[in-house]
Amino acid sequence: MNGSSIKEVYKEIFKSHDNPSLKQHIKKIIELDVYLPYSSTFFCITNTQDLSFEYISKNMTACLGLDKQELQIKGMRYLWSRMHPDDLDKWLKALNELMNFTINEISVNDRGKMSYTWNYRLKNGKDEYVNVVQNTTPLEFDSKDKPVIGLAHYTVLSGSLEMQISASAKLLNSNNEYETVYFNNFSQKLLTGGISNRERDVIRLLVLNYSSKDIAKKLNISPNTVDTHRRNILKKLKISSTGELIGMLKMNKNII
């Protein structure tokens, strides 16, 4: 997939309906960057409308060895050009599904309480691939309540780590705690090994911490049928408990 194709897919995912402006508090975030210590993390303020970085924190160069000014000028396209080619399609699929989940499943009032995480491999200034875990919190929304401006935190990890491409969405609940409301691993297919579409639906809801009774209501089947699906899933995947299944998924383990 070339840069032009990536741009078109990305712009379609984040297609906006107006031109929101940056909030005043973003200036405060930038001011704080002066006082933050150097570490393995950095942050950017991303603009998905014009594919630019409104701001890049000083730690970026220390973490990736890239020229901050070049990244600022060339924007997201430059970052994409350094992404591992094997990760591009999975990454775009992850973004698309996160956006669809937000639009279809998250109420307008809750969208400002969301936090999204995904990962990919990126070539650093030494032309070596490293793992990057990106966590983005929306700051601005367009007229259709679609997130377009975000505060993105990047954690850079050794390229020797084998990390499957996954994406998750968390919602800040009434207890001021982030709870996972979406998770998907894009490096493996749960439909392999004889897993049916209905069983995949059950797995997806189990990962979201739904009980058998809740799953039965959502899928319009009986709780006994849900329990049968759960037993069949464990048998097919050769694991002993639902907790083990969920743990494997959330820890990016290969279960197939």
Side-chain angles (χ1 to χ4, degrees):
M1 181 178 288
N2 58 34
S4 178
S5 299
I6 297 169
K7 174 185 174 182
E8 292 307 313
V9 175
Y10 189 92
K11 287 182 75 69
E12 182 62 30
I13 294 171
F14 290 101
K15 184 178 180 181
S16 184
H17 302 274
D18 58 7
N19 295 288
S21 60
L22 291 174
K23 290 181 177 178
Q24 184 67 26
H25 72 258
I26 292 179
K27 294 182 180 179
K28 297 298 182 183
I29 295 174
I30 295 172
E31 290 171 5
L32 285 174
D33 186 36
V34 176
Y35 304 99
L36 294 176
Y38 285 98
S39 65
S40 61
T41 65
F42 64 97
F43 72 87
C44 298
I45 296 172
T46 60
N47 186 326
T48 59
Q49 287 187 296
D50 56 18
L51 310 182
S52 68
F53 295 104
E54 298 289 340
Y55 183 75
I56 301 171
S57 72
K58 67 175 186 293
N59 276 358
M60 188 281 297
T61 300
C63 291
L64 292 176
L66 301 179
D67 182 81
K68 179 179 175 180
Q69 186 175 7
E70 184 175 20
L71 183 58
Q72 191 90 54
I73 294 172
K74 296 182 178 179
M76 294 182 182
R77 296 179 187 86
Y78 177 60
L79 199 68
W80 298 337
S81 73
R82 304 189 71 86
M83 213 177 271
H84 197 293
D86 291 345
D87 295 351
L88 282 172
D89 286 340
K90 297 169 187 174
W91 165 73
L92 285 170
K93 184 178 180 181
L95 292 185
N96 189 57
E97 294 203 11
L98 281 173
M99 185 59 64
N100 287 336
F101 174 80
T102 299
I103 299 302
N104 297 321
E105 304 291 339
I106 303 300
S107 69
V108 171
N109 291 335
D110 282 341
R111 289 179 193 172
K113 303 175 185 176
M114 296 296 293
S115 176
Y116 305 94
T117 302
W118 57 84
N119 64 287
Y120 46 85
R121 287 171 291 177
L122 194 74
K123 189 182 293 182
N124 63 16
K126 297 179 180 179
D127 286 337
E128 299 171 345
Y129 283 108
V130 293
N131 286 294
V132 175
V133 179
Q134 180 175 341
N135 178 268
T136 297
T137 303
L139 298 176
E140 284 282 353
F141 299 82
D142 65 12
S143 61
K144 296 294 182 68
D145 296 296
K146 196 172 185 179
V148 289
I149 303 292
L151 175 61
H153 287 86
Y154 303 80
T155 300
V156 180
L157 303 172
S158 170
S160 63
L161 296 173
E162 292 187 12
M163 297 181 65
Q164 297 178 11
I165 306 301
S166 63
S168 65
K170 294 181 174 62
L171 174 66
L172 190 65
N173 62 26
S174 57
N175 294 325
N176 237 13
E177 297 175 347
Y178 277 106
E179 58 178 283
T180 300
V181 293
Y182 172 90
F183 177 87
N184 201 351
N185 186 321
F186 294 88
S187 292
Q188 62 186 31
K189 301 281 187 182
L190 287 176
L191 294 182
T192 61
I195 299 296
S196 69
N197 287 340
R198 177 58 84 194
E199 288 167 343
R200 187 181 184 193
D201 286 337
V202 171
I203 290 172
R204 174 176 57 83
L205 293 171
L206 285 171
V207 171
L208 297 179
N209 297 320
Y210 285 105
S211 66
S212 290
K213 184 177 180 181
D214 293 332
I215 293 173
K217 289 181 180 179
K218 284 187 170 292
L219 299 182
N220 196 28
I221 57 180
S222 73
N224 287 336
T225 300
V226 174
D227 288 337
T228 298
H229 284 314
R230 291 176 66 160
R231 287 193 296 271
N232 289 338
I233 291 166
L234 297 181
K235 183 177 180 180
K236 290 178 180 180
L237 298 181
K238 299 179 180 179
I239 53 180
S240 60
S241 69
T242 301
E244 184 179 355
L245 167 63
I246 295 172
M248 286 174 130
L249 285 168
K250 290 187 175 181
M251 292 300 292
N252 255 349
K253 299 293 184 182
N254 186 3
I255 62 174
I256 300 297

